[in-house]
Amino acid sequence: MTETITPLTAFDDASLDEAFRALTDQVRSAASQLTTAEAQENFRLDWLGRKQGRLKLLSETWLKTAPPEAKKSLGMRFNTLKNEIEAALASEPASSKASSAPALDLSLPGIRRNIGVEHPLTRTMREMTAVFAALGYSVGIGPEVETDFYNFEALNFPPNHPARDTQDTLVVADQEGKPLRERLLMRTHTSPVQIRSMVSNPPPLRIVIPGKVHRNDESDATHSPIFHQVEGLCVDTNITFSDLKGTLDYAMKAFFGSSVKTRFFPSFFPFTEPSADVQISCPFCGQKGCRKCKFSGWIELLGCGMVDPAVFAAVDARRIENGLEPAYDTKKISGFAFGMGVERIAMMKYGVGDIGQFYSGDLRFLSQFV
Ligand code: PHE
Protein backbone atom coordinates (compact mmCIF):
# COMPACT_ATOMS: atom_id res chain seq x y z
CA MET A 1 0.00 0.00 0.00
CA THR A 2 2.72 2.38 0.96
CA GLU A 3 5.25 0.91 -1.40
CA THR A 4 6.47 3.26 -4.04
CA ILE A 5 5.19 2.76 -7.50
CA THR A 6 7.85 2.04 -10.06
CA PRO A 7 7.46 4.37 -12.95
CA LEU A 8 7.01 2.89 -16.43
CA THR A 9 9.62 3.94 -18.92
CA ALA A 10 8.50 2.14 -22.09
CA PHE A 11 4.92 2.06 -23.34
CA ASP A 12 5.16 -0.26 -26.36
CA ASP A 13 2.92 -3.34 -26.33
CA ALA A 14 5.66 -5.74 -25.30
CA SER A 15 6.65 -3.63 -22.30
CA LEU A 16 3.04 -3.18 -21.24
CA ASP A 17 2.42 -6.90 -21.64
CA GLU A 18 5.33 -7.64 -19.38
CA ALA A 19 4.40 -5.08 -16.73
CA PHE A 20 0.80 -6.27 -16.54
CA ARG A 21 1.73 -9.92 -16.55
CA ALA A 22 3.79 -9.24 -13.43
CA LEU A 23 0.87 -7.42 -11.83
CA THR A 24 -1.57 -10.22 -12.70
CA ASP A 25 0.80 -12.74 -11.14
CA GLN A 26 0.94 -10.68 -7.95
CA VAL A 27 -2.85 -10.47 -7.80
CA ARG A 28 -3.25 -14.20 -8.34
CA SER A 29 -0.68 -15.26 -5.81
CA ALA A 30 -2.14 -12.92 -3.18
CA ALA A 31 -5.67 -14.09 -4.04
CA SER A 32 -4.70 -17.75 -3.60
CA GLN A 33 -3.78 -17.08 0.03
CA LEU A 34 -7.02 -15.50 1.12
CA THR A 35 -8.13 -17.94 3.80
CA THR A 36 -10.13 -15.57 5.99
CA ALA A 37 -12.63 -12.82 5.44
CA GLU A 38 -10.19 -10.45 7.11
CA ALA A 39 -7.39 -11.32 4.66
CA GLN A 40 -9.83 -10.80 1.85
CA GLU A 41 -10.70 -7.31 3.09
CA ASN A 42 -7.02 -6.39 3.40
CA PHE A 43 -6.47 -7.63 -0.13
CA ARG A 44 -9.36 -5.47 -1.33
CA LEU A 45 -7.99 -2.37 0.42
CA ASP A 46 -4.49 -3.08 -0.84
CA TRP A 47 -5.55 -3.21 -4.48
CA LEU A 48 -8.77 -1.25 -4.74
CA GLY A 49 -8.55 1.21 -1.83
CA ARG A 50 -9.86 4.59 -2.96
CA LYS A 51 -6.96 6.65 -1.67
CA GLN A 52 -3.95 4.36 -1.32
CA GLY A 53 -5.02 1.35 -3.39
CA ARG A 54 -2.34 0.05 -5.70
CA LEU A 55 -4.58 0.21 -8.72
CA LYS A 56 -5.30 3.86 -8.13
CA LEU A 57 -1.65 4.78 -7.53
CA LEU A 58 -0.47 2.75 -10.50
CA SER A 59 -2.96 4.15 -12.91
CA GLU A 60 -2.32 7.73 -11.75
CA THR A 61 1.42 7.39 -12.04
CA TRP A 62 1.55 5.46 -15.28
CA LEU A 63 -1.23 7.30 -17.12
CA LYS A 64 0.36 10.60 -16.27
CA THR A 65 3.63 9.69 -17.94
CA ALA A 66 2.20 7.68 -20.83
CA PRO A 67 2.31 9.13 -24.33
CA PRO A 68 -1.22 9.89 -25.64
CA GLU A 69 -1.26 6.97 -28.08
CA ALA A 70 -0.59 4.44 -25.27
CA LYS A 71 -3.26 5.75 -22.89
CA LYS A 72 -6.13 3.73 -24.37
CA SER A 73 -4.23 0.47 -24.27
CA LEU A 74 -3.04 1.24 -20.76
CA GLY A 75 -6.59 1.99 -19.60
CA MET A 76 -7.88 -1.28 -21.05
CA ARG A 77 -5.15 -3.20 -19.28
CA PHE A 78 -6.01 -1.59 -15.95
CA ASN A 79 -9.63 -2.58 -16.50
CA THR A 80 -8.64 -6.20 -17.10
CA LEU A 81 -6.52 -6.16 -13.96
CA LYS A 82 -9.40 -4.70 -11.96
CA ASN A 83 -11.70 -7.45 -13.21
CA GLU A 84 -9.18 -10.01 -12.08
CA ILE A 85 -9.09 -8.47 -8.59
CA GLU A 86 -12.85 -8.28 -8.36
CA ALA A 87 -13.23 -11.87 -9.46
CA ALA A 88 -10.89 -12.96 -6.65
CA LEU A 89 -12.96 -10.97 -4.18
CA ALA A 90 -16.22 -12.44 -5.44
CA SER A 91 -15.27 -15.98 -4.42
CA GLU A 92 -15.34 -17.09 -0.80
CA PRO A 93 -12.17 -17.34 1.33
CA ALA A 94 -10.38 -20.67 0.73
CA SER A 95 -10.94 -22.04 4.23
CA SER A 96 -14.66 -21.49 4.22
CA LYS A 97 -14.70 -23.10 0.78
CA ALA A 98 -12.98 -26.14 2.26
CA SER A 99 -15.20 -26.35 5.31
CA SER A 100 -18.45 -26.09 3.48
CA ALA A 101 -19.79 -29.54 2.57
CA PRO A 102 -18.30 -30.87 -0.67
CA ALA A 103 -20.68 -31.63 -3.46
CA LEU A 104 -21.97 -35.21 -3.23
CA ASP A 105 -20.89 -37.39 -6.11
CA LEU A 106 -23.27 -40.34 -5.94
CA SER A 107 -21.42 -42.14 -8.70
CA LEU A 108 -18.26 -42.58 -6.57
CA PRO A 109 -17.60 -46.11 -5.27
CA GLY A 110 -18.32 -46.57 -1.54
CA ILE A 111 -15.64 -46.52 1.16
CA ARG A 112 -15.22 -49.95 2.73
CA ARG A 113 -15.28 -49.87 6.51
CA ASN A 114 -13.03 -52.73 7.64
CA ILE A 115 -14.31 -54.43 10.74
CA GLY A 116 -12.26 -56.93 12.70
CA VAL A 117 -12.75 -60.66 12.36
CA GLU A 118 -12.47 -63.31 15.03
CA HIS A 119 -9.04 -64.92 15.00
CA PRO A 120 -9.22 -68.50 13.66
CA LEU A 121 -7.70 -69.88 16.86
CA THR A 122 -10.12 -67.96 19.07
CA ARG A 123 -12.92 -69.16 16.86
CA THR A 124 -11.84 -72.80 17.00
CA MET A 125 -11.52 -72.63 20.80
CA ARG A 126 -14.87 -70.92 21.16
CA GLU A 127 -16.64 -73.41 18.91
CA MET A 128 -15.07 -76.40 20.63
CA THR A 129 -15.84 -74.94 24.07
CA ALA A 130 -19.43 -74.31 22.98
CA VAL A 131 -19.90 -78.00 22.09
CA PHE A 132 -19.10 -78.95 25.69
CA ALA A 133 -20.94 -75.99 27.21
CA ALA A 134 -24.06 -77.34 25.49
CA LEU A 135 -23.47 -80.62 27.37
CA GLY A 136 -23.49 -78.78 30.70
CA TYR A 137 -19.74 -78.15 31.06
CA SER A 138 -18.67 -74.86 32.59
CA VAL A 139 -15.55 -73.06 31.43
CA GLY A 140 -12.46 -73.29 33.64
CA ILE A 141 -9.33 -71.17 33.43
CA GLY A 142 -6.05 -71.05 35.29
CA PRO A 143 -2.67 -69.29 35.31
CA GLU A 144 -0.07 -69.76 32.59
CA VAL A 145 2.76 -69.40 35.11
CA GLU A 146 2.13 -72.51 37.17
CA THR A 147 3.81 -74.37 40.01
CA ASP A 148 5.46 -77.74 39.55
CA PHE A 149 2.79 -79.16 41.87
CA TYR A 150 -0.16 -78.34 39.60
CA ASN A 151 1.58 -78.90 36.28
CA PHE A 152 3.32 -82.18 37.28
CA GLU A 153 3.23 -83.55 40.80
CA ALA A 154 -0.54 -83.68 41.32
CA LEU A 155 -0.92 -85.06 37.78
CA ASN A 156 1.13 -88.06 38.83
CA PHE A 157 4.43 -87.03 37.28
CA PRO A 158 6.71 -87.82 40.25
CA PRO A 159 10.04 -85.94 40.52
CA ASN A 160 12.55 -87.39 38.05
CA HIS A 161 9.82 -89.29 36.22
CA PRO A 162 10.83 -89.67 32.56
CA ALA A 163 7.41 -88.46 31.39
CA ARG A 164 8.46 -84.96 32.46
CA ASP A 165 10.99 -84.99 29.63
CA THR A 166 8.22 -85.29 27.06
CA GLN A 167 6.90 -81.88 28.09
CA ASP A 168 9.90 -79.68 27.17
CA THR A 169 9.24 -77.43 30.12
CA LEU A 170 10.19 -73.76 30.27
CA VAL A 171 11.05 -73.03 33.89
CA VAL A 172 11.31 -69.69 35.64
CA ALA A 173 14.98 -69.00 36.47
CA ASP A 174 16.72 -68.78 39.88
CA GLN A 175 14.49 -70.91 42.10
CA GLU A 176 17.01 -73.49 43.35
CA GLY A 177 16.28 -72.73 46.99
CA LYS A 178 12.59 -73.53 46.65
CA PRO A 179 10.99 -76.95 47.20
CA LEU A 180 10.39 -78.57 43.80
CA ARG A 181 6.59 -78.50 44.07
CA GLU A 182 6.61 -74.72 44.57
CA ARG A 183 8.92 -73.91 41.67
CA LEU A 184 7.38 -71.84 38.91
CA LEU A 185 7.21 -72.86 35.27
CA MET A 186 5.21 -72.06 32.17
CA ARG A 187 2.38 -74.56 32.10
CA THR A 188 3.05 -77.22 29.47
CA HIS A 189 -0.61 -78.25 29.20
CA THR A 190 -4.04 -77.14 30.42
CA SER A 191 -4.27 -80.17 32.74
CA PRO A 192 -3.18 -78.24 35.88
CA VAL A 193 -6.56 -76.51 35.66
CA GLN A 194 -8.15 -79.94 36.29
CA ILE A 195 -6.35 -80.03 39.64
CA ARG A 196 -7.17 -76.41 40.51
CA SER A 197 -10.85 -77.00 39.72
CA MET A 198 -11.05 -80.15 41.83
CA VAL A 199 -9.13 -78.60 44.72
CA SER A 200 -11.65 -75.79 44.92
CA ASN A 201 -14.86 -77.64 43.94
CA PRO A 202 -16.32 -80.94 45.13
CA PRO A 203 -17.82 -83.30 42.54
CA PRO A 204 -19.89 -83.51 40.41
CA LEU A 205 -17.69 -81.51 38.09
CA ARG A 206 -17.86 -80.89 34.37
CA ILE A 207 -15.42 -78.33 33.03
CA VAL A 208 -13.98 -77.40 29.68
CA ILE A 209 -10.65 -75.56 29.76
CA PRO A 210 -9.47 -73.55 26.74
CA GLY A 211 -6.03 -71.98 27.12
CA LYS A 212 -2.49 -71.17 26.13
CA VAL A 213 0.38 -73.53 26.89
CA HIS A 214 4.18 -73.31 26.53
CA ARG A 215 6.84 -75.78 25.55
CA ASN A 216 10.50 -75.39 24.72
CA ASP A 217 9.91 -76.44 21.13
CA GLU A 218 11.77 -75.27 18.06
CA SER A 219 9.38 -73.35 15.77
CA ASP A 220 8.66 -75.02 12.47
CA ALA A 221 5.68 -75.37 10.14
CA THR A 222 3.71 -77.38 12.70
CA HIS A 223 5.29 -76.41 16.05
CA SER A 224 5.26 -73.24 18.06
CA PRO A 225 6.64 -72.77 21.60
CA ILE A 226 3.31 -71.20 22.56
CA PHE A 227 0.13 -72.93 21.45
CA HIS A 228 -3.39 -73.66 22.65
CA GLN A 229 -5.28 -76.60 24.05
CA VAL A 230 -8.85 -77.36 24.91
CA GLU A 231 -9.12 -79.72 27.86
CA GLY A 232 -12.09 -81.37 29.50
CA LEU A 233 -12.81 -83.01 32.84
CA CYS A 234 -15.90 -84.83 34.03
CA VAL A 235 -16.13 -86.28 37.55
CA ASP A 236 -19.25 -87.83 39.04
CA THR A 237 -20.59 -91.10 40.42
CA ASN A 238 -20.50 -94.00 37.97
CA ILE A 239 -18.50 -92.32 35.21
CA THR A 240 -17.14 -95.04 32.93
CA PHE A 241 -14.98 -95.35 29.85
CA SER A 242 -18.25 -95.67 27.86
CA ASP A 243 -19.20 -92.17 29.00
CA LEU A 244 -15.82 -90.94 27.77
CA LYS A 245 -16.28 -92.62 24.40
CA GLY A 246 -19.86 -91.43 24.01
CA THR A 247 -19.03 -87.86 24.99
CA LEU A 248 -16.06 -87.55 22.63
CA ASP A 249 -17.87 -89.26 19.78
CA TYR A 250 -20.76 -86.82 20.22
CA ALA A 251 -18.39 -83.81 20.49
CA MET A 252 -16.44 -84.70 17.34
CA LYS A 253 -19.69 -85.12 15.38
CA ALA A 254 -20.97 -81.79 16.71
CA PHE A 255 -17.74 -80.06 15.73
CA PHE A 256 -16.77 -81.73 12.45
CA GLY A 257 -20.12 -83.00 11.13
CA SER A 258 -22.45 -85.88 11.91
CA SER A 259 -20.85 -88.34 9.49
CA VAL A 260 -17.54 -88.34 11.42
CA LYS A 261 -16.62 -91.57 13.19
CA THR A 262 -14.20 -91.99 16.12
CA ARG A 263 -11.87 -94.79 17.15
CA PHE A 264 -9.78 -95.25 20.29
CA PHE A 265 -6.25 -96.64 20.69
CA PRO A 266 -4.37 -97.49 23.86
CA SER A 267 -2.00 -94.75 24.94
CA PHE A 268 -0.27 -93.42 28.03
CA PHE A 269 -0.57 -90.31 30.18
CA PRO A 270 0.59 -90.31 33.81
CA PHE A 271 -2.70 -88.76 34.98
CA THR A 272 -5.13 -91.11 33.22
CA GLU A 273 -5.49 -94.88 33.42
CA PRO A 274 -6.44 -96.37 31.07
CA SER A 275 -5.43 -93.76 28.50
CA ALA A 276 -6.34 -93.51 24.84
CA ASP A 277 -5.57 -91.59 21.68
CA VAL A 278 -8.63 -90.75 19.62
CA GLN A 279 -8.75 -90.68 15.86
CA ILE A 280 -11.60 -89.31 13.78
CA SER A 281 -12.51 -90.40 10.26
CA CYS A 282 -11.23 -87.73 7.91
CA PRO A 283 -14.00 -85.11 7.63
CA PHE A 284 -12.26 -83.46 4.68
CA CYS A 285 -12.24 -86.31 2.16
CA GLY A 286 -14.86 -88.62 3.65
CA GLN A 287 -12.05 -91.20 3.95
CA LYS A 288 -11.30 -91.23 0.23
CA GLY A 289 -7.77 -90.20 1.13
CA CYS A 290 -6.32 -86.67 1.12
CA ARG A 291 -3.25 -84.80 2.31
CA LYS A 292 -4.89 -83.84 5.60
CA CYS A 293 -5.33 -87.49 6.64
CA LYS A 294 -2.09 -88.44 4.86
CA PHE A 295 -4.22 -90.72 2.67
CA SER A 296 -5.08 -92.94 5.64
CA GLY A 297 -8.70 -91.82 6.08
CA TRP A 298 -8.08 -91.16 9.81
CA ILE A 299 -6.76 -88.19 11.79
CA GLU A 300 -5.41 -88.34 15.33
CA LEU A 301 -6.93 -85.54 17.38
CA LEU A 302 -7.18 -86.17 21.11
CA GLY A 303 -5.57 -87.64 24.18
CA CYS A 304 -7.88 -88.90 26.88
CA GLY A 305 -8.46 -91.41 29.63
CA MET A 306 -10.01 -92.19 32.99
CA VAL A 307 -8.67 -89.98 35.78
CA ASP A 308 -5.92 -91.89 37.60
CA PRO A 309 -6.73 -92.57 41.30
CA ALA A 310 -3.34 -91.02 42.16
CA VAL A 311 -4.65 -87.70 40.83
CA PHE A 312 -7.74 -87.82 43.04
CA ALA A 313 -5.49 -88.67 46.00
CA ALA A 314 -3.25 -85.66 45.30
CA VAL A 315 -6.33 -83.43 44.99
CA ASP A 316 -7.75 -84.58 48.33
CA ALA A 317 -4.38 -84.15 50.03
CA ARG A 318 -4.24 -80.56 48.79
CA ARG A 319 -7.87 -79.96 49.82
CA ILE A 320 -6.98 -81.09 53.35
CA GLU A 321 -3.89 -78.83 53.33
CA ASN A 322 -6.21 -75.98 52.35
CA GLY A 323 -8.60 -76.75 55.22
CA LEU A 324 -11.27 -78.35 53.01
CA GLU A 325 -13.03 -81.70 53.33
CA PRO A 326 -11.60 -84.42 51.10
CA ALA A 327 -14.19 -85.02 48.35
CA TYR A 328 -12.64 -87.27 45.73
CA ASP A 329 -13.03 -90.72 47.24
CA THR A 330 -12.37 -93.18 44.43
CA LYS A 331 -14.80 -95.67 45.98
CA LYS A 332 -17.59 -93.17 45.29
CA ILE A 333 -16.56 -91.21 42.23
CA SER A 334 -14.69 -91.60 38.98
CA GLY A 335 -13.98 -89.38 36.06
CA PHE A 336 -12.54 -88.92 32.60
CA ALA A 337 -10.38 -86.23 31.03
CA PHE A 338 -9.38 -85.32 27.51
CA GLY A 339 -7.19 -82.76 25.81
CA MET A 340 -6.55 -81.57 22.28
CA GLY A 341 -4.35 -79.13 20.40
CA VAL A 342 -6.21 -76.17 18.95
CA GLU A 343 -3.65 -75.21 16.28
CA ARG A 344 -3.66 -78.68 14.75
CA ILE A 345 -7.44 -78.66 14.48
CA ALA A 346 -7.57 -75.11 13.10
CA MET A 347 -4.79 -75.85 10.58
CA MET A 348 -6.70 -78.82 9.23
CA LYS A 349 -10.11 -77.19 9.32
CA TYR A 350 -8.99 -74.04 7.51
CA GLY A 351 -6.27 -75.58 5.36
CA VAL A 352 -3.44 -73.58 6.95
CA GLY A 353 -0.04 -74.96 5.97
CA ASP A 354 2.18 -73.05 8.39
CA ILE A 355 1.37 -72.60 12.08
CA GLY A 356 3.29 -69.29 12.05
CA GLN A 357 0.50 -67.69 10.06
CA PHE A 358 -1.72 -67.73 13.15
CA TYR A 359 0.70 -65.45 15.01
CA SER A 360 1.83 -63.22 12.15
CA GLY A 361 -0.91 -60.63 12.54
CA ASP A 362 -0.96 -60.44 8.73
CA LEU A 363 -4.31 -58.99 7.72
CA ARG A 364 -4.15 -60.67 4.31
CA PHE A 365 -4.23 -63.99 6.17
CA LEU A 366 -6.67 -63.03 8.93
CA SER A 367 -9.21 -61.30 6.73
CA GLN A 368 -9.92 -64.61 5.00
CA PHE A 369 -11.79 -65.79 8.09
CA VAL A 370 -14.83 -63.53 7.83
N1 PHE B 1 -2.34 -82.93 28.83
C1 PHE B 1 -2.14 -83.86 27.75
C2 PHE B 1 -1.08 -83.26 26.80
O1 PHE B 1 -0.86 -82.09 26.82
C3 PHE B 1 -3.41 -84.14 26.99
C4 PHE B 1 -4.42 -84.86 27.80
C5 PHE B 1 -5.34 -84.17 28.54
C6 PHE B 1 -4.43 -86.25 27.83
C7 PHE B 1 -6.28 -84.85 29.31
C8 PHE B 1 -5.35 -86.94 28.58
C9 PHE B 1 -6.27 -86.26 29.31
O2 PHE B 1 -0.47 -83.97 26.03
Side-chain angles (χ1 to χ4, degrees):
M1 272 171 275
T2 48
E3 67 196 283
T4 48
I5 299 299
T6 333
L8 261 195
T9 47
F11 291 89
D12 56 290
D13 275 348
S15 304
L16 289 181
D17 278 350
E18 195 188 312
F20 278 86
R21 199 178 311 120
L23 286 172
T24 308
D25 285 349
Q26 280 179 35
V27 166
R28 289 190 182 156
S29 97
S32 71
Q33 287 163 34
L34 300 179
T35 52
T36 62
E38 193 190 351
Q40 207 171 35
E41 177 60 8
N42 288 339
F43 171 80
R44 191 187 67 76
L45 287 172
D46 185 20
W47 286 94
L48 302 179
R50 272 176 205 277
K51 290 185 184 155
Q52 295 292 315
R54 279 202 223 187
L55 208 59
K56 176 164 186 291
L57 298 178
L58 278 166
S59 56
E60 270 177 11
T61 320
W62 289 0
L63 278 167
K64 217 185 292 168
T65 53
E69 67 279 9
K71 284 195 198 296
K72 190 177 170 201
S73 163
L74 200 53
M76 278 165 55
R77 288 172 199 267
F78 274 121
N79 267 336
T80 313
L81 188 64
K82 191 176 177 202
N83 288 342
E84 184 87 30
I85 296 162
E86 283 173 343
L89 285 167
S91 61
E92 285 181 37
S95 73
S96 66
K97 261 185 265 171
S99 68
S100 64
L104 257 193
D105 182 348
L106 296 176
S107 70
L108 284 174
I111 299 167
R112 182 188 287 273
R113 303 250 177 258
N114 287 319
I115 55 164
V117 299
E118 192 176 28
H119 192 280
L121 292 178
T122 314
R123 177 165 161 183
T124 306
M125 279 198 286
R126 180 180 55 71
E127 288 174 357
M128 192 54 89
T129 304
V131 168
F132 290 98
L135 290 174
Y137 285 61
S138 40
V139 177
I141 54 164
E144 281 171 54
V145 181
E146 198 39 290
T147 60
D148 186 278
F149 174 78
Y150 286 108
N151 196 80
F152 288 128
E153 187 186 320
L155 287 161
N156 198 29
F157 290 80
N160 305 319
H161 192 282
R164 287 178 176 236
D165 286 355
T166 64
Q167 301 264 329
D168 301 309
T169 313
L170 290 159
V171 300
V172 175
D174 300 331
Q175 302 186 87
E176 273 72 42
K178 274 193 192 173
L180 179 63
R181 52 161 38 189
E182 285 168 29
R183 286 193 206 164
L184 297 171
L185 44 80
M186 302 310 291
R187 70 175 180 197
T188 58
H189 48 179
T190 39
S191 304
V193 188
Q194 289 188 30
I195 309 299
R196 289 182 172 274
S197 306
M198 289 190 282
V199 165
S200 29
N201 302 285
L205 204 59
R206 282 173 180 74
I207 44 170
V208 57
I209 305 152
K212 203 179 278 176
V213 302
H214 305 249
R215 292 191 191 179
N216 187 17
D217 269 343
E218 222 40 77
S219 292
D220 64 24
T222 54
H223 293 87
S224 156
I226 304 178
F227 59 104
H228 300 79
Q229 291 184 334
V230 172
E231 177 116 5
L233 173 70
C234 167
V235 185
D236 205 341
T237 50
N238 298 318
I239 298 293
T240 67
F241 200 88
S242 303
D243 295 314
L244 169 59
K245 287 187 77 174
T247 301
L248 291 182
D249 188 72
Y250 166 82
M252 293 302 107
K253 285 179 163 64
F255 188 80
F256 287 104
S258 56
S259 57
V260 158
K261 290 175 284 192
T262 51
R263 61 183 193 181
F264 290 67
F265 289 88
S267 183
F268 174 78
F269 301 101
F271 41 93
T272 49
E273 181 59 34
S275 306
D277 286 330
V278 185
Q279 297 185 352
I280 63 166
S281 61
C282 184
F284 308 107
C285 65
Q287 297 195 286
K288 285 192 192 74
C290 68
R291 274 174 45 208
K292 290 178 185 178
C293 63
K294 300 200 185 81
F295 300 91
S296 73
W298 293 92
I299 294 173
E300 190 165 314
L301 223 52
L302 290 139
C304 66
M306 302 306 291
V307 179
D308 194 295
V311 172
F312 289 136
V315 165
D316 265 352
R318 180 48 70 101
R319 283 177 65 88
I320 292 164
E321 271 177 52
N322 290 0
L324 296 166
E325 290 288 311
Y328 288 86
D329 180 350
T330 51
K331 288 194 210 67
K332 295 188 188 130
I333 52 97
S334 53
F336 64 73
F338 56 87
M340 65 197 111
V342 176
E343 275 77 353
R344 232 174 85 77
I345 294 175
M347 283 174 83
M348 280 191 306
K349 184 161 180 185
Y350 299 117
V352 175
D354 183 344
I355 198 170
Q357 301 229 258
F358 289 131
Y359 320 116
S360 66
D362 187 337
L363 286 179
R364 290 167 304 177
F365 170 72
L366 294 173
S367 60
Q368 297 175 87
F369 298 92
V370 262

